[in-house]
Amino acid sequence: AIDPQFEANREKVGEENGVAVWGPVDPPEKHGIHGTHVAVDFDICLADGACLEDCPVDVFTWVDTPGHPESDIKAEPTHEDQCIDCMLCVDVCPVDAIDVDPG
Ligand code: SF4
Ligand code: F3S
């Protein structure tokens, strides 16, 4: 599962698609955690798609991660600023790849 303390335990290494990336990153095998308020561990996500289907405000967008061992696409929280903290995505992800921190 995603580490809910990732902000303390990881370093921000940059930005992709407008969201923060928390390392380590070493593509194509390692993409780190993407997003902060809504965070997706790209190295756990296996492209189930429930988060994209169920999010009431369309926070997530598919992005390509060719060659990643779990899946070739990932759910990027491109609109995390729209999140209403309903926690649906956290509940439906089968591999617990998502952390939402209402702060
Ligand atoms: Fe969307 Fe709700 Fe998840 Fe926020 S907590 S990203 S609103 S499903
Ligand atoms: Fe990935 Fe979980 Fe969404 S596997 S696509 S973060 S439901």
Side-chain angles (χ1 to χ4, degrees):
I2 186 171
D3 173 10
Q5 304 300 320
F6 69 89
E7 288 180 77
N9 295 336
R10 292 177 177 233
E11 298 218 352
K12 197 176 184 173
V13 294
E15 265 200 13
E16 263 175 54
N17 308 304
V19 307
V21 177
W22 303 82
V25 168
D26 185 17
E29 287 90 7
K30 264 194 172 304
H31 287 272
I33 290 177
H34 287 221
T36 304
H37 179 100
V38 179
V40 179
D41 192 325
F42 270 30
D43 297 314
I44 297 175
C45 173
L46 38 66
D48 176 84
C51 57
L52 272 97
E53 279 170 36
D54 289 0
C55 177
V57 291
D58 296 330
V59 161
F60 304 97
T61 309
W62 288 125
V63 295
D64 294 322
T65 55
H68 188 271
E70 295 297 338
S71 58
D72 289 340
I73 55 172
K74 306 289 179 184
E76 186 84 278
T78 42
H79 298 99
E80 62 180 339
D81 55 317
Q82 303 289 309
C83 176
I84 56 171
D85 302 324
C86 71
M87 298 297 166
L88 254 178
C89 58
V90 173
D91 291 341
V92 295
C93 178
V95 288
D96 291 330
I98 308 175
D99 180 65
V100 174
D101 183 3

